[in-house]
Structure formats: structure tokens, C-alpha cells
Amino acid sequence: MASVTSLASTVDQRIADALSAALPEAGPASPLLRRSDRADFQANGLLALAKQLKGNPRELATRVVASLPADDVIKDVEVSGPGFLNITITDRAIIETLAARASDARLGVPYEPDPGTTVVDYAQPNVAKEMHVGHLRSAVIGAAMVEILEFTGEKVIRRHHIGDWGTQFGMLIQYLIEHPHELDHKDAATSGEEAISSLNRLYKASRTLFDSDAEFKARARDRVVHLQAGDKETLALWQRFVDESKIYFYSVFNQLDMEIRDPDIVGESGYNDMLEETCRILEDSGVAVRSEGALCVFFDDVKGPDGNKVPLIVKKSNGGYGYAATDLSAIRDRVRNLSATTLLYVVDARQSLHFKMVFETARRAGWLNEEVHAVQLAFGTVLGKDGKPFKTREGETVRLVDLLDEAVERATAVVREKAKDLSEDEIAERGKQVGIGAVKYADLSTSAARDYKFDLDQMVSLHGDTSVYIQYAYARIQSILRKAGDAKPAAHPELRLAPAERALGLHVDQFGEVLAEVASGYEPHKLAAYLYQLASHFTTFYDQCHVLSDENPAELVENRLFLCDITARTLHQGLALLGIRSPERL
């Protein structure tokens, strides 16, 4: 089905046409329409227009109102203040627009296939290392943006740039050669917890030996050379670490209710064969220059405390490659082999300077240009209740699996307290959906660039801006629909709407516009805010408008059930785009 034009767009066009008819000398002008608490919408564009035409804004506004044709969309237009237009929509227009949305599986949201391709780089754990709370934001924000972009028509390629290369692997591989059974398991089916337990044990043991035994340290460094040279035995052992780590990664992502596909994982090692060529291209083109033996790119606006320019080091003086060489090679690969037109990096804000330098280097080299651009969706830090970086009482980084386990445990307690007709298995299932949803929503409801406090008590609360509040609104609607018996949702445009019905309907109608804004600006927090407001509007509607009252005529019951149903569908779709489940019962 074709997309449904929102009431805001319809009204905006009506006012724009009236502006052109009443004031042809002004040329094309925007009404500057917005939602208003004095009417349904307010148009403020006449103030600037009056200044341009050197006229009285109220008089101009009156002429515009007179040019508006009578129709079934705009009920009333009032000239207010110095020339604002306060616009009220007909009840019929609200219900008819929602009925058009309800007849479409996508709720009338436009699907506009984009000829370009966006590569989203997110969820970047490190091989042989445990995932901690710092890995949460990249995974959650990136997964939401993938879903939102795909829903609106973008072609998206996922990329998980895992840390699977570097000098620490010489230490790990050498230790495994000398202690060959450290990664052995009793059972063929290894759990994520067993995998990370083995990796942690091996890492600590190899680090202790590396720091205390000079001969082992020398052997480990030699092993790095073998790894980089492609020695078969060394690569085979390296692959064991990668495979073992993937067992663990997948268990954590599964707990996060997030799909990570093997072909999408292209770690640092995936670009090894390109590194030397990348450096040669940069040096031959003059983008990078030799400085004290290293291959560097300099920038006029990047300086250290001493006032000297701080370079991006592409190749070290000892011949080793830095992160920049890998990141630049990844850009080349994504542009050349994946035909990317947008590169979206969901990466910690503390790496902003690095990526600013990498992107500018790629632009100078011609890999990024007007047709191909890169964006860092930078995110802030997860803080504890005290406002400091989230740590355990012992000062260690919080394990992600522990945090998720606790969230599910807290949420299960909330569900059990509210549950009336749920079995223990259902309570456990809902507890996981609510707990994981709460963690995701707390992250996504905050502007990505900001830090946020991790407060599980607040996250699983039924009150306030939480996913639990939204999920509860959805479950309440499902309960109403189950209790409706023979009465079915049906739109009745001929009925007058109560204020709470109008407010709910107008907010539902904004869904497509909100998604378009979220997709273009990479701002999932705006979708979270919209869903919370929608749940709040429904709560007011539920309190003020009895849906299944025996005193209501059948048409009124059906119309209110219709408002319930389309609200539930919108909540369900919106939460799904954020990666959050919508339990039918809570």
C-alpha cells in the first residue's frame, strides 16, 4: 500500500497553498507548522513573511485564512497574537487518516528504497576478552539504527569490527603451544560461560608468565612475527581463540536478544592483506609523509599541549601498523567492495578525535567525497548511580553478563508481583523480555552523545520514562481487546471525539514523521521519546474514556477499540525497531 500522508503534512500543504493564493508576491513560503497546546497545530511563518513584505502580520494572517477553502480536514483557524494561526482539525479527518494507517501492515509509514548503501559498524568486542558494560551501547544503539534504517528503505550492511589481531595474540598463542590443553572442554557443546572462563584463565596465566619470564616474553614476541607472516600452525591456534570467543560473543548477544551473523563479523584481521597497499597509496599521493621513521598524516587543527601538530600514525617506525591503517583499509574495502555510500560508525565518543583524523585522511585520499561520506554516531559513557564511570565495588569494570542477569532478575520480580494468571515459565519468559528491554531502553532513551546513569531500580519501574511503562500500556490494550468479546475495533469517522481521543489519535499519526527524523539524524532516542509519550497519551485516554462500558453505544465501543488497536500496533512496531519485545500479558 502507498504511504499515508500525515495530518501535519496535509495541513502544512493547505496553509502553504493559501499563503501562495493570498500573498502571491511573497513567493514560496513555509507555514512553519508545529504542534500546539492552544490548538492542534500552530503556523508561525507569517511573522517572518510580514517582515519581508513590510506588512501587518495580523492583516496578512486574516487574508491567508480567507483564502483557505472549506474542506473536511481543517475545522477552524484562529488568528492569534501578532499573527499566529491556531489550527484545529476535524474529528473525521483524524479517524479517517488513522483508518488508512490501520489498513496497512506498515501503518502507512513510507518505504522509500534508497539507491545507496549504509554500512553500520557496531558491536565490536575483543577476541579473548570479556565483554563489559562499555560494550553495551555500541551493540544496542547500532542494532536499533540497523532496524530503523532498513524499515525506512535503506540498504544496510552490518559490520562487526572485532578486535582479533595484535601483539597480545603472540603471548596467548605461545602459552597455548606450551600448555596445549588449556582450551579443551569436557563437552562438545561449550557454553558461553565456559568459553570465557577458559579464555580468562588462559589470558591471566599467560600475562603472569609474560611479565615474569624473560625467555617466555621473547618467545611470545617471536610468535607475533610468525602470526603476521601467516605461519600455518600459528594461524590455526589464533583461529581457535577466535572460534572460542565467538561462542562467548554469541551467548551474550543472544542474552541481549540480538542477532549477530557470522558473515557480518569482519575483524581487524580481515584487512591485513590491504595494509601495505593502503600505506603505499597514502605515501605516493602525498597524503601521508615520513616523520621520524613513521608514516604520518598531519592536520593543522590537531595539536598537542606543546602546540606541535599531533599526527595520525598509519605505520610505526618499527614497521608495525596502527589502528589507523586498519580503519583506513576498512573504509577502502567498504567503499570499493561493498559499494557503500554512507559509513556509520557507532563508536565511543572518546574515539572522536581518532575518527575525525581517519575520515579526513580518507577524504584527502579520495575514498570519501560528495557521494560517499562517513559519520560517527558517538556515544557517551555508562555511569553508576554516583555519576562516575560504572565499576564494581572493587573498582573493576562491570561484566556485561552479570549486569544483564541482574536486570532480568529484577524484572522477573516485578512481573511476578503483577502477574495474575501467568505460569512460572511465562513469568520467567516475561522477566527476560522486560529486563533486557529495560536495559536497552535506558540506553536508547538518552541522546547517544550524553552519558547516562545505570540505575536498575529505575529501569524496571512501572512508572516514569521506562520500557516497562510502555510494555505495560501495550499489555493493557491486549487485555482490553481480549475482554471485548464480540465487539471488534472499527473506525467511525462520524463520531465526535473526546479531548483524550483527539490527543491520542494525533500522536499516533506522527509515527512515520518521527521515524523519518530518527533515520536521517541517527537519533533513536527520539523514537523512544515518541513511544513514551504515546503510552502516556493512552494512559490518559484509558482513564478518561471508558472503552467497554455497557452504557456506550456500539459505535463508540468499536471506535475506542479501534484507537486501542492502532495504538498497540504502533507501540509494538516502535519497540521492535528498538529491539524490545512487547509481551501480550504482564
Side-chain angles (χ1 to χ4, degrees):
M1 176 180 170
S3 62
V4 177
T5 302
S6 70
L7 288 165
S9 296
T10 300
V11 171
D12 188 82
Q13 188 60 55
R14 296 278 203 284
I15 302 297
D17 291 345
L19 276 170
S20 297
L23 307 169
E25 67 274 22
S30 171
L32 297 180
L33 195 74
R34 63 177 182 83
R35 288 298 308 274
S36 170
D37 56 2
R38 295 174 178 266
D40 295 331
F41 298 99
Q42 187 175 83
N44 301 333
L46 281 161
L47 300 183
L49 204 57
K51 183 178 286 188
Q52 175 190 326
L53 299 175
K54 297 181 172 57
N56 182 301
R58 282 189 66 90
E59 291 178 4
L60 295 180
T62 302
R63 286 166 59 187
V64 171
V65 172
S67 298
L68 276 169
D71 60 25
D72 56 358
V73 175
I74 296 178
K75 177 182 180 181
D76 181 57
V77 182
E78 174 196 18
V79 179
S80 174
F84 301 125
L85 298 182
N86 288 333
I87 304 153
T88 303
I89 307 301
T90 65
D91 293 345
R92 173 176 290 276
I94 293 173
I95 296 300
E96 286 182 343
T97 301
L98 294 185
R101 294 197 179 284
S103 66
D104 177 32
R106 292 175 50 83
L107 299 170
V109 176
Y111 182 79
E112 300 171 356
D114 193 300
T117 297
T118 297
V119 175
V120 182
D121 188 325
Y122 70 108
Q124 309 108 345
N126 294 310
V127 165
K129 290 186 180 178
E130 194 152 22
M131 291 176 68
H132 54 77
V133 68
H135 290 110
L136 180 67
R137 301 208 71 183
S138 177
V140 170
I141 296 169
M145 282 313 311
V146 166
E147 295 298 326
I148 292 164
L149 290 171
E150 287 186 332
F151 188 74
T152 55
E154 190 84 4
K155 180 184 177 184
V156 177
I157 297 176
R158 300 158 172 82
R159 275 295 176 267
H160 307 298
H161 190 86
I162 65 172
D164 65 351
W165 203 250
T167 54
Q168 78 271 19
F169 284 98
M171 175 184 80
L172 292 166
I173 293 168
Q174 188 60 37
Y175 188 86
L176 187 58
I177 288 173
E178 297 175 16
H179 303 80
H181 301 295
E182 281 296 309
L183 287 183
D184 291 349
H185 299 287
K186 295 178 182 178
D187 301 319
T190 308
S191 71
E193 195 63 34
E194 289 171 329
I196 196 58
S197 176
S198 297
L199 290 168
N200 278 340
R201 186 175 63 250
L202 193 149
Y203 185 87
K204 289 176 181 177
S206 63
R207 169 56 68 180
T208 299
L209 193 59
F210 186 87
D211 292 339
S212 62
D213 187 329
E215 291 184 0
F216 175 78
K217 180 182 287 189
R219 293 196 298 276
R221 285 176 170 165
D222 287 341
R223 187 58 55 183
V224 175
V225 176
H226 291 309
L227 177 64
Q228 293 176 340
D231 173 69
K232 287 186 177 181
E233 180 195 13
T234 305
L235 282 175
L237 291 170
W238 167 81
Q239 189 65 50
R240 282 194 68 187
F241 281 103
V242 174
D243 293 342
E244 193 83 3
S245 296
K246 282 183 179 180
I247 294 170
Y248 164 66
F249 294 160
Y250 289 163
S251 72
V252 177
F253 288 124
N254 183 60
Q255 193 172 1
L256 267 170
D257 197 15
M258 191 178 295
E259 183 185 22
I260 300 291
R261 299 180 298 211
D262 214 53
D264 302 331
I265 297 177
V266 183
E268 295 169 350
S269 64
Y271 307 101
N272 284 343
D273 294 343
M274 299 176 65
L275 299 180
E276 187 54 43
E277 185 182 28
T278 296
C279 292
R280 180 182 56 75
I281 293 171
L282 292 173
E283 187 168 16
D284 289 351
S285 63
V287 172
V289 296
R290 294 285 172 177
S291 176
E292 298 180 15
L295 187 62
C296 304
V297 182
F298 289 91
F299 310 86
D300 290 336
D301 58 344
V302 182
K303 297 179 180 178
D306 57 2
N308 293 327
K309 293 180 183 178
V310 176
L312 180 70
I313 300 175
V314 184
K315 191 173 186 179
K316 302 172 187 176
S317 57
N318 66 0
Y321 300 101
Y323 289 122
T326 304
D327 288 332
L328 288 164
S329 297
I331 289 176
R332 287 180 57 216
D333 174 69
R334 292 166 183 183
V335 173
R336 183 179 63 186
N337 298 325
L338 302 181
S339 302
T341 49
T342 301
L343 304 175
L344 180 62
Y345 290 79
V346 187
V347 184
D348 194 315
R350 288 170 292 190
Q351 298 186 49
S352 293
L353 178 59
H354 169 78
F355 278 99
K356 175 186 175 182
M357 296 163 78
V358 166
F359 294 163
E360 174 58 20
T361 299
R363 188 193 64 77
R364 292 179 187 179
W367 304 326
L368 299 178
N369 48 48
E370 291 183 2
E371 287 75 37
V372 185
H373 68 287
V375 181
Q376 183 191 357
L377 202 177
F379 56 81
T381 304
V382 181
L383 307 175
K385 289 183 183 181
D386 58 1
K388 298 177 181 178
F390 202 18
K391 302 282 186 181
T392 64
R393 290 180 180 176
E394 293 75 28
E396 297 177 358
T397 304
V398 179
R399 296 197 329 155
L400 185 51
V401 289
D402 291 342
L403 183 149
L404 298 178
D405 285 344
E406 186 176 357
V408 170
E409 185 180 325
R410 298 274 192 96
T412 302
V414 171
V415 173
R416 179 173 282 108
E417 183 182 337
K418 289 289 181 181
K420 296 178 181 177
D421 55 354
L422 298 179
S423 68
E424 276 301 310
D425 286 345
E426 288 173 324
I427 289 172
E429 180 189 5
R430 302 298 191 279
K432 181 176 180 181
Q433 293 175 346
V434 171
I436 298 303
V439 170
K440 289 183 176 181
Y441 185 85
D443 193 316
L444 293 165
S445 61
T446 304
S447 172
R450 292 175 51 196
D451 300 341
Y452 81 96
K453 292 182 180 179
F454 198 94
D455 183 347
L456 275 176
D457 291 329
Q458 174 57 29
M459 287 180 190
V460 299
S461 173
L462 281 165
H463 308 287
D465 187 4
T466 67
S467 61
V468 191
Y469 177 76
I470 300 170
Q471 289 170 318
Y472 189 69
Y474 175 81
R476 175 179 275 173
I477 295 174
Q478 297 309 312
S479 176
I480 293 170
L481 295 174
R482 286 193 297 271
K483 292 176 181 176
D486 294 334
K488 303 299 178 187
H492 286 277
E494 74 279 6
L495 295 179
R496 289 188 61 184
L497 298 178
E501 292 175 299
R502 291 178 56 83
L504 178 61
L506 285 167
H507 194 76
V508 168
D509 186 52
Q510 290 180 280
F511 185 50
E513 293 177 338
V514 169
L515 283 183
E517 185 178 354
V518 169
S520 63
Y522 309 124
E523 298 173 300
H525 70 279
K526 291 184 177 180
L527 175 55
Y530 168 84
L531 295 173
Y532 171 62
Q533 291 160 6
L534 180 55
S536 299
H537 278 299
F538 173 76
T539 299
T540 302
F541 160 80
Y542 181 78
D543 290 343
Q544 297 181 5
C545 303
H546 294 158
V547 178
L548 299 177
S549 172
D550 293 336
E551 299 175 4
N552 289 342
E555 294 82 1
L556 182 59
V557 172
E558 290 174 349
N559 200 57
R560 287 181 174 173
L561 285 172
F562 165 73
L563 285 171
C564 288
D565 185 57
I566 194 166
T567 297
R569 288 175 58 191
T570 306
L571 289 172
H572 178 80
Q573 181 63 75
L575 286 173
L577 292 175
L578 295 180
I580 298 172
R581 302 279 183 178
S582 307
E584 299 283 313
R585 300 172 187 263
L586 275 182

